[in-house]
């Protein structure tokens, strides 16, 4: 594949007041090796992802939403990130470009955001709010027009304020710094918190106002969620260990350990012993298709282990491809057949599968080391 200019490079080279203009030659993928394009031959992963994107777009409704079950705003946001992670640009005059533009317009409808909060109208609560906020940070500067980019920026600014205000709610000490199902919740869990953490870090990278204290407080919560106690220096007493759904639980799971690994990295703690310990735990406890919340966990696993590099990245790349390509349907989509995930539908599983496999392409800033 040809080397491309990333959106972070685009934003740093060509922005005006935080909102990129439309119609610039920088918008979209810029090839530095056009003469080599014809030499590229898609492999089995590329073909699987391509089939997955087509299957995902078959779920798009006339109003632009991409959701075959509930939580339409959140599911459409996941689908938007899946499209963007393979290089689709909303300003492109192509079927995928137009589909992406229509999906973004659906999310930006004023009725989907209540006082900055995206989780009320579609019932997705803070899960959906974090997902949608992250999507907006990842598409900022990639809109199809000046007007759309401005609306992305405005919606994102209000959404970040909700996340910061929710984090500041008074909570027990071991719950401080995290988030739960509703903006006013007085407890926290890792599954909800990781989305808010990724959204805050991505927003900060976009140049938006995110206080350093918000990231530091999130790290404190993540440390409380690690399943080994820490000594005075912050080093786990049991080096190889993982993360739990809530503080005080000492049984790590695949999904939560992958989530905690990525969250710590997202907060900039790449060299933390919690990161190396979680990566080592994941090498000892590889993913299985019957894991609880398998697709959800693979999304974190693929990104987090990629950031670790070395054996962790090589193992995760191999297992992510093997496991996900094995369970892709003949129609090109993914759908879970186990547990609670079975109720979330095609758009959910397919978007997460594409995002997991899409780490390879490096189009989204969250995938870049």
């Amino acid at each position: 594949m040809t080397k491309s200019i990333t959106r972070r490079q685009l934003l740093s080279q060509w922005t005006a007041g935080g909102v990129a203009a439309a119609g610039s030659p920088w918008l979209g993928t810029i090839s530095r090796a056009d003469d080599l394009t014809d030499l590229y031959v898609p492999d089995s992963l590329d073909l699987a992802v391509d089939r997955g994107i087509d299957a995902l777009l078959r779920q798009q409704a006339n109003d632009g939403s991409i959701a075959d079950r509930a939580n339409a705003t959140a599911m459409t946001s996941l689908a938007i990130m899946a499209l963007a992670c393979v290089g689709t640009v909303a300003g492109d005059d192509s079927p995928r470009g137009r589909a992406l533009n229509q999906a973004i317009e659906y999310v930006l409808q004023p009725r989907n955001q209540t006082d900055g909060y995206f989780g009320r109208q579609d019932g997705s609560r803070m899960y959906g709010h974090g997902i949608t906020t992250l999507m907006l940070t990842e598409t900022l500067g990639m809109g199809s027009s000046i007007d759309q980019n401005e609306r992305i920026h405005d919606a994102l600014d209000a959404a970040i304020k909700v996340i910061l205000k929710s984090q500041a709610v008074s909570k027990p000490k071991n719950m401080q710094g995290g988030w739960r199902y509703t903006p006013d919740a007085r407890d926290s869990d890792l599954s909800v918190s990781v989305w808010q953490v990724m959204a805050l870090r991505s927003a900060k990278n976009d140049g938006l106002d995110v206080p350093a204290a918000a990231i530091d407080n999130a790290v404190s919560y993540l440390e409380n969620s690690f399943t080994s106690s820490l000594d005075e220096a912050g080093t786990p007493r049991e080096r190889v260990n993982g993360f739990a759904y809530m503080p005080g639980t000492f049984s790590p799971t695949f999904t939560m350990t992958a989530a905690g690994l990525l969250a710590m990295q997202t907060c900039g703690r790449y060299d933390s012993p919690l990161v190396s310990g979680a990566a080592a735990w994941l090498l000892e406890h590889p993913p299985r298709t019957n894991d609880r919340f398998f697709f959800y966990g693979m999304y974190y696993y693929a990104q987090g282990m990629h950031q670790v590099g070395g054996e962790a990245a090589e193992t995760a790349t191999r297992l992510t491809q093997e496991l996900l390509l094995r369970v892709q349907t003949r129609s090109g989509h993914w759908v879970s057949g186990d547990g609670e995930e079975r109720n979330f539908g095609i758009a959910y599983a397919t978007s997460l599968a594409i995002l997991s496999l899409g780490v390879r392409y490096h189009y989204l800033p969250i995938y870049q080391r």
Side-chain angles (χ1 to χ4, degrees), residues 196-239:
Q196 322 309 318
V197 168
M198 288 194 291
L200 288 180
R201 178 56 186 269
S202 186
K204 188 175 182 67
N205 289 344
D206 279 338
L208 299 180
D209 185 18
V210 177
I215 303 298
D216 292 340
N217 291 337
V219 170
S220 294
Y221 174 73
L222 293 170
E223 291 174 343
N224 286 330
S225 300
F226 198 68
T227 53
S228 169
S229 59
L230 310 181
D231 63 21
E232 294 76 10
T235 302
R237 289 186 168 85
E238 297 178 44
R239 187 187 71 82

Side-chain angles (χ1 to χ4, degrees), residues 16-305:
V19 180
S24 163
W26 289 103
L27 195 60
T29 299
I30 301 176
S31 172
R32 290 182 174 177
D34 289 333
D35 56 327
L36 299 179
T37 300
D38 291 339
L39 299 180
Y40 173 69
V41 178
D43 63 12
S44 59
L45 185 148
D46 297 317
L47 295 172
V49 168
D50 197 56
R51 292 173 58 232
I53 290 291
D54 289 341
L56 190 61
L57 291 185
R58 290 198 293 271
Q59 302 297 320
Q60 188 165 36
N62 291 334
D63 64 0
S65 63
I66 304 176
D68 54 309
R69 301 286 177 89
N71 312 131
T73 305
M75 294 304 153
T76 302
S77 295
L78 279 179
I80 289 170
M81 287 195 290
L83 283 162
C85 90
V86 300
T88 307
V89 178
D92 284 352
D93 186 19
S94 66
R96 290 184 180 182
R98 291 191 293 271
L100 176 58
N101 180 63
Q102 191 179 9
I104 292 172
E105 285 298 323
Y106 172 82
V107 172
L108 290 175
Q109 291 180 28
R111 68 184 181 88
N112 289 329
Q113 191 174 24
T114 306
D115 297 326
Y117 182 40
F118 278 105
R120 179 173 300 168
Q121 195 277 335
D122 74 338
S124 61
R125 301 184 289 181
M126 284 299 289
Y127 269 116
H129 182 77
I131 290 168
T132 299
T133 306
L134 175 62
M135 179 277 291
L136 293 172
T137 67
E138 293 295 297
T139 56
L140 182 63
M142 294 173 63
S144 61
S145 65
I146 295 174
D147 174 69
Q148 188 178 79
N149 281 316
E150 289 176 342
R151 287 183 287 123
I152 290 173
H153 182 274
D154 292 345
L156 177 56
D157 185 63
I160 290 295
K161 290 177 181 176
V162 170
I163 293 176
L164 294 173
K165 184 177 180 180
S166 178
Q167 187 189 37
V169 171
S170 178
K171 301 179 180 183
K173 186 175 181 179
N174 66 340
M175 298 286 184
Q176 291 174 8
W179 294 262
R180 190 99 161 114
Y181 295 135
T182 61
D184 58 354
R186 298 187 179 276
D187 57 355
S188 304
D189 74 62
L190 180 56
S191 185
V192 172
S193 295
V194 65
W195 290 107
Q196 322 309 318
V197 168
M198 288 194 291
L200 288 180
R201 178 56 186 269
S202 186
K204 188 175 182 67
N205 289 344
D206 279 338
L208 299 180
D209 185 18
V210 177
I215 303 298
D216 292 340
N217 291 337
V219 170
S220 294
Y221 174 73
L222 293 170
E223 291 174 343
N224 286 330
S225 300
F226 198 68
T227 53
S228 169
S229 59
L230 310 181
D231 63 21
E232 294 76 10
T235 302
R237 289 186 168 85
E238 297 178 44
R239 187 187 71 82
V240 179
N241 225 304
F243 288 85
Y245 178 64
M246 298 185 82
T249 304
F250 298 101
S251 298
T253 65
F254 164 72
T255 298
M256 288 300 96
T257 298
L261 168 66
L262 180 60
M264 286 292 293
Q265 294 167 321
T266 301
C267 290
R269 296 340 193 243
Y270 299 100
D271 297 325
S272 167
L274 276 65
V275 167
S276 58
W281 189 93
L282 288 167
L283 284 173
E284 293 181 2
H285 301 82
R288 301 168 299 174
T289 55
N290 62 350
D291 279 323
R292 191 180 182 204
F293 297 111
F294 167 72
F295 288 98
Y296 193 54
M298 291 300 291
Y299 169 71
Y300 299 128
Y301 173 75
Q303 292 185 65
M305 297 291 266

Side-chain angles (χ1 to χ4, degrees), residues 287-289 294 298 319-327:
R288 301 168 299 174
T289 55
F294 167 72
M298 291 300 291
L319 291 178
T320 298
Q321 294 182 24
E322 287 179 2
L323 294 175
L324 288 175
L325 268 59
R326 183 189 307 165
V327 297

